[in-house]
Amino acid sequence: MQDIGMAKKDSEATSDSGIEAKAGDANYEYVDIKDLEGVGATIASKIKNAGYADIIALATANPMDVAEVCEIGEPTARKIIAEAREAAKMNFLSGLEFEDKRKAVQRISTGSNALDILLGGGVETQSITECYGEFGSGKSQIAFQLAVNVQLAKEKGGLEGHTIWIDTEGTFRPARIEQLAISKGLDPKEALQNIKIGRAYSSDHQILLVDKIPELINKDPKIKLVVVDSMMALFRAEYVGRGTLADRQQKVNVILHNLQRLADRFNLAIYITNQVMARPDVMFGDPTVAVGGHIIGHVATYRVYLRKGKKGLRVAKLVDSPSLPEGEATFQISADGITDAEEESKRK
Ligand code: GTP
Ligand code: MG
């Protein structure tokens, strides 16, 4: 385990992350802002300090904003943004290229066959999978299991990959990772070493940690999974009252889109968790709704609603998937981690 700690804008701006990292299997190149034509270290540092963490952020920036924060002329800013767009290869894909990109999609097993089948074969790269449900429903436990399973060989449901874990509630448990690793025949310390934890203390800090992901992947191209546990806790605490709701949703939207872009660029699986809140205004139907509501719903590719079932079982329901039928899967959380419910009952 390695703590990626407090992401400071200054250190981010001056850190030398180099170029050339080819992450994952998808052949996405990582180009640092300072390596764009017409951008030296000084301008790159100003750009990064202004919050444009990588070329994708720069490619989608407003030229007037960039001109102002970098104290350069607007034509120069336009040229730099055009360079960033070129470097980011923000072109249209042909149908065939799109198909090729989809072929690079890989899956991480959750540990339960039933849950994997529900998700179309496991948690997918190039997608955001959101699990929402009440406390103790198993959202974090699935994250622990994925962070271990991603390290397994492909035939065992893994990707021989590493994890970035953004912890917003202080609920990451090294001992649980070790326990799950041992149960999968992995070295527990090595398993922890392969997970990089960033503890977020505020929603702004959470945004910074997400911005830091390309740099971390550049250093460790084996990263295949990003966990955000939980996505909304800090936003929920900071933005109280409806007056600031639009503001909050806009920020959440930025994070989610950044995560989706990272998933596409680096062929990553993104797993986020979300609490539910009671809705006293809803008289019929499900009285719970995910915090962040429809904003996450539009961005997440797979949404899974978790609830506690009978005898300690958990029931996962796939909600609003673009390509898979809605359905349910039952699984169990034991000392060994996530397993199928039947397997468990057979064992007893
Ligand atoms: P919140 O973060 O509180 O919203 O809940 P969550 O959905 O993240 O719940 P979490 O994934 O932490 O699940 C907690 C449940 O998992 C517990 O109530 C236990 O039933 C089970 N669990 C957690 N750790 C262990 C463990 O080490 N062994 C076993 N057998 N069960 C565990
Ligand atoms: Mg949790």
Side-chain angles (χ1 to χ4, degrees):
M1 179 179 54
Q2 195 179 318
D3 198 334
I4 59 179
M6 300 278 289
K8 274 175 57 198
K9 271 197 171 181
D10 289 354
S11 63
E12 226 182 302
T14 49
S15 69
D16 184 2
S17 44
I19 47 167
E20 292 168 359
K22 272 195 177 169
D25 308 3
N27 291 334
Y28 297 104
E29 277 189 53
Y30 181 80
V31 179
D32 196 89
I33 289 175
K34 74 172 172 7
D35 297 307
L36 294 172
E37 209 177 307
V39 181
T42 318
I43 293 182
S45 156
K46 282 182 184 170
I47 291 172
K48 288 188 186 180
N49 274 332
Y52 306 105
D54 62 17
I55 52 163
I56 301 280
L58 182 59
T60 51
N62 178 335
M64 283 195 296
D65 293 345
V66 173
E68 194 181 323
V69 294
C70 302
E71 294 158 322
I72 52 177
E74 209 184 301
T76 313
R78 280 185 195 283
K79 200 170 159 283
I80 292 172
I81 291 169
E83 289 285 338
R85 285 185 183 171
E86 177 58 28
K89 301 214 169 25
M90 287 173 74
N91 302 323
F92 283 92
L93 298 179
S94 72
L96 264 181
E97 286 167 325
F98 189 82
E99 191 187 31
D100 276 351
K101 185 166 169 271
R102 282 293 305 169
K103 278 188 196 147
V105 167
Q106 297 169 303
R107 289 180 180 82
I108 306 163
S109 171
T110 60
S112 154
N113 279 326
L115 185 53
D116 285 353
I117 290 167
L118 184 74
L119 293 169
V123 169
E124 214 178 70
T125 62
Q126 298 181 27
S127 292
I128 297 179
T129 302
E130 177 202 2
C131 263
Y132 66 100
E134 64 170 322
F135 70 94
S137 56
K139 305 177 295 287
S140 299
Q141 288 300 317
I142 291 177
F144 287 124
Q145 191 71 63
L146 289 171
V148 169
N149 286 4
V150 70
Q151 303 188 35
L152 298 172
K154 290 190 183 165
E155 61 274 16
K156 290 189 172 163
L159 300 175
E160 289 170 23
H162 299 168
T163 299
I164 292 173
W165 185 298
I166 297 177
D167 178 6
T168 67
E169 298 181 305
T171 50
F172 181 80
R173 293 284 172 270
R176 184 60 171 154
I177 292 289
E178 293 191 76
Q179 187 184 22
L180 296 177
I182 291 167
S183 146
K184 290 287 178 191
L186 296 173
D187 179 273
K189 297 296 173 203
E190 215 170 285
L192 273 176
Q193 185 63 36
N194 293 336
I195 303 171
K196 290 169 185 68
I197 325 292
R199 171 80 163 99
Y201 294 97
S202 69
S203 61
D204 283 333
H205 190 198
Q206 188 177 338
I207 292 171
L208 281 180
L209 290 176
V210 170
D211 285 347
K212 221 176 147 66
I213 291 174
E215 201 182 306
L216 289 172
I217 292 176
N218 194 30
K219 285 183 191 140
D220 177 8
K222 285 185 96 172
I223 287 165
K224 297 301 294 174
L225 171 68
V226 174
V227 168
V228 184
D229 185 26
S230 79
M231 178 66 207
M232 296 297 295
L234 294 167
F235 286 93
R236 188 188 202 180
E238 287 168 34
Y239 291 83
V240 185
R242 296 202 157 247
T244 52
L245 212 57
D247 209 23
R248 179 186 87 172
Q249 295 300 55
Q250 204 263 338
K251 266 189 167 180
V252 172
N253 214 359
V254 168
I255 293 202
L256 288 169
H257 280 105
N258 285 345
L259 286 170
Q260 181 59 56
R261 270 202 301 249
L262 291 169
D264 285 340
R265 269 172 80 198
F266 298 114
N267 202 21
L268 304 176
I270 312 277
Y271 175 81
I272 65 177
T273 68
N274 199 356
Q275 299 104 330
V276 293
M277 58 181 173
R279 289 213 23 212
D281 53 322
V282 175
M283 300 285 283
F284 301 100
D286 190 346
T288 58
V289 67
V291 178
H294 63 282
I295 287 279
I296 293 190
H298 286 317
V299 181
T301 324
Y302 296 97
R303 306 194 81 198
V304 179
Y305 175 59
L306 288 184
R307 66 172 198 273
K308 295 175 191 167
K310 284 180 201 148
K311 295 181 189 162
L313 296 178
R314 298 295 189 277
V315 182
K317 181 179 184 196
L318 187 66
V319 186
D320 300 339
S321 159
S323 53
L324 295 172
E326 289 200 355
E328 289 195 341
T330 305
F331 66 92
Q332 184 153 331
I333 310 168
S334 72
D336 285 344
I338 309 287
T339 51
D340 272 341
E342 307 87 64
E343 269 178 38
E344 279 302 311
S345 50
K346 261 186 247 155
R347 229 182 268 169
K348 278 172 193 158

